[in-house]
Amino acid sequence: MTRVQLEIFEGPLDLLLHLIKKNEVNIADIPIAAITEQYLATLELMQSLNLDVAGEFLVMAATLIHIKSRVLLPPGEDEDGEEEEGDPREELVRRLLEYQRFKEAAEELEGREILKRDVFVRRSEVPEDLATAGFEGLSLFDLISALRQVLERFPDEGIHEVTLERISVREKMSSLLDDLQRRGKVIFQSLFEAAASRFEIIVTFLAMLELAKIRAIRVWQEEREGPIVIELAAPLEDIQERMAQEKIEGEGDGA
Amino acid sequence: MERDRLKSVLESLLFACDAPLAVHRMGEVLEGVDKKEIASVLQELQAEYETSGRGFRLVEVAGGFQMRTPKENAEWVKNLFRGRPARMSRATLETVAIIAYKQPITRAEIEAIRGVDVDGVLSTLLERRLVRIVARKDVPGRPFLYGTTTEFLEMFNLKDLSNLPTLKEMEEMTLPPSQNQEPSGEE
Amino acid sequence: MERDRLKSVLESLLFACDAPLAVHRMGEVLEGVDKKEIASVLQELQAEYETSGRGFRLVEVAGGFQMRTPKENAEWVKNLFRGRPARMSRATLETVAIIAYKQPITRAEIEAIRGVDVDGVLSTLLERRLVRIVARKDVPGRPFLYGTTTEFLEMFNLKDLSNLPTLKEMEEMTLPPSQNQEPSGEE
């Protein structure tokens, strides 16, 4: 079969595996020069066909060229003249083998009897008046997509909120820290008492999430139904340093 | 198509379809098969289920045929459903999501966000202990403020509230594939 | 309960329930009936459906038993539902395979294995409920950890996760040796 056909590659590793297979060579012993050349040629072909060549393909091209240059050097020396141990292809080989395992696992999964493709079940609804045992298991994803839908129904408010957050999450973080420094432990709910609007509640909430994320605060409950308590998790100076390094949610990425 | 094969296929169709299936629809699906033959196989199935005391019957109803459990097994089937959890309605899910993110929050505030009243939904949530009253708000009328419970955390597999996705994570997870080149270099 | 009666009732339960039904759940519904007897009736039904070429089979999947149409009738049932085959892209399959074998796993870890970003794929998987967020990883940034769901087991006809095909060892996977001229660093 000599049909000319450009396969859709799932990524640079997929393309490399394809080339290795086509050349009938061993993954563990890749002829790096030849494979690099074919890899680059394929990228060129993809580009000439106006296919979107993702950044990962270009990163891999650079990696291949680098490995090639090292393989060509006499053993025991790399371009900096430093002692370098092992085969320069080793890391790439490891990644290829790992990717190949999952590619094969995916193929095996696809070969199984797949629901709604090969086999079908009966759909049935539980009569509502009979269902009494609480709610069916839900995922976090269900929860947040529900919230997103609410926000989308109110586009104006959504935009407003986002703008506001960006302005003041960091400010709010600082004022929360001051508060905690002064008061020691604080009940979670009380953080919202002073909020003048629901926008401020969101900002406060986000600021708290940020602080928890950089481990500036500890959040816990003393008993199951008890209040949620918050306190500083580190000296204030350390936290301020961490904050200076941390990129804050939605800030400064120009998006 | 051989009769045995036809019987098996028809049985699959009747089984997979929860609504009554009209004979002409079966005819469409099995193009080329005579409707009379379909009807005769249906009769055969009907008799077979009846006499061999199967856990389902083939009933002619609402212009089509439908498999149903027999009346004498109704008690057990009801038992099965009785203990089963219900699917949370959209309204309930939205409301609990709003409470989770904006707690403590009053009913009026929830309604302002959802644009509809949440009376029934809120009492369901309180009943199922996913939401509780945490305080009263210091404004005229002193309305209740609602917040989520430990049961809420359990239900959504969260260690604590700080484990809720941030708005940004939420966007990443629910938006159609975007073109942003996120560095994938954590850990 | 007589065995014939038990058989009919169990068949009704299996027929009425769309999710896989665990033996212990059947035991609950049929209080007083020995689980061993339930299991033996299930085996009988399983064999019966198989040998008599019925339009459904009894399959052990996702921790329970479920009635499903046999593969050889897939074409016709698909016709009934008028197309829209639930095709999964390779990207989706690869990603769900990685999650299944390496769970709990973060998005960055999945991306490291696949070599490409999995943004859109992950939300598709979450939406189809094949994958869920199980926790957050205790590293900077506290990324989500993903795992597979019961729906995943159902979709791929797996009894449980230990039922996944064994992953090949990396050493077994090298392709046939070649006569390449490159300097070889190992063996």
Side-chain angles (χ1 to χ4, degrees), chain B residues 6-146:
Chain B
L6 176 63
K7 192 169 141 187
S8 167
V9 171
L10 279 176
E11 199 166 46
S12 281
L13 297 182
L14 290 162
F15 169 78
C17 184
D18 50 350
L21 195 54
V23 176
H24 79 88
R25 183 82 188 94
M26 300 186 229
E28 272 170 29
V29 172
L30 297 155
E31 0 163 358
V33 179
D34 184 32
K35 290 224 186 81
K36 280 207 191 102
E37 201 178 351
I38 293 178
S40 119
V41 172
L42 290 174
Q43 272 195 340
E44 191 185 320
L45 283 171
Q46 215 162 19
E48 205 177 296
Y49 294 168
E50 190 79 41
T51 55
S52 61
R54 294 238 78 104
F56 35 78
R57 297 285 182 276
L58 189 56
V59 185
E60 201 173 345
V61 64
F65 285 81
Q66 188 178 35
M67 282 171 80
R68 294 180 165 190
T69 56
K71 203 172 163 200
E72 70 258 29
N73 292 353
E75 258 329 294
W76 309 105
V77 178
K78 264 189 227 165
N79 258 351
L80 175 70
F81 288 141
R82 197 162 284 135
R84 279 244 325 238
R87 183 155 294 161
M88 201 189 262
S89 73
R90 194 84 233 153
T92 313
L93 192 55
E94 281 180 14
T95 306
V96 78
I98 292 169
I99 296 173
Y101 275 89
K102 317 218 160 159
Q103 59 191 301
I105 185 171
T106 67
R107 199 182 70 183
E109 287 161 347
I110 303 170
E111 286 173 347
I113 296 173
R114 287 205 61 225
V116 286
D117 88 276
V118 292
D119 245 9
V121 180
L122 208 48
S123 44
T124 312
L125 285 170
L126 285 164
E127 215 169 280
R128 311 273 199 194
R129 316 191 90 236
L130 292 176
V131 150
R132 67 199 174 101
I133 293 162
V134 289
R136 275 179 187 274
K137 188 162 180 171
D138 220 0
V139 295
R142 308 198 62 234
F144 287 128
L145 285 164
Y146 297 90

Side-chain angles (χ1 to χ4, degrees), chain A residues 130-150:
Chain A
L130 291 176
T132 49
F135 289 120
E136 228 170 54
L138 278 169
S139 70
L140 203 47
F141 180 77
D142 296 319
L143 185 74
I144 62 171
S145 47
L147 185 62
R148 259 198 88 81
Q149 264 169 11
V150 181

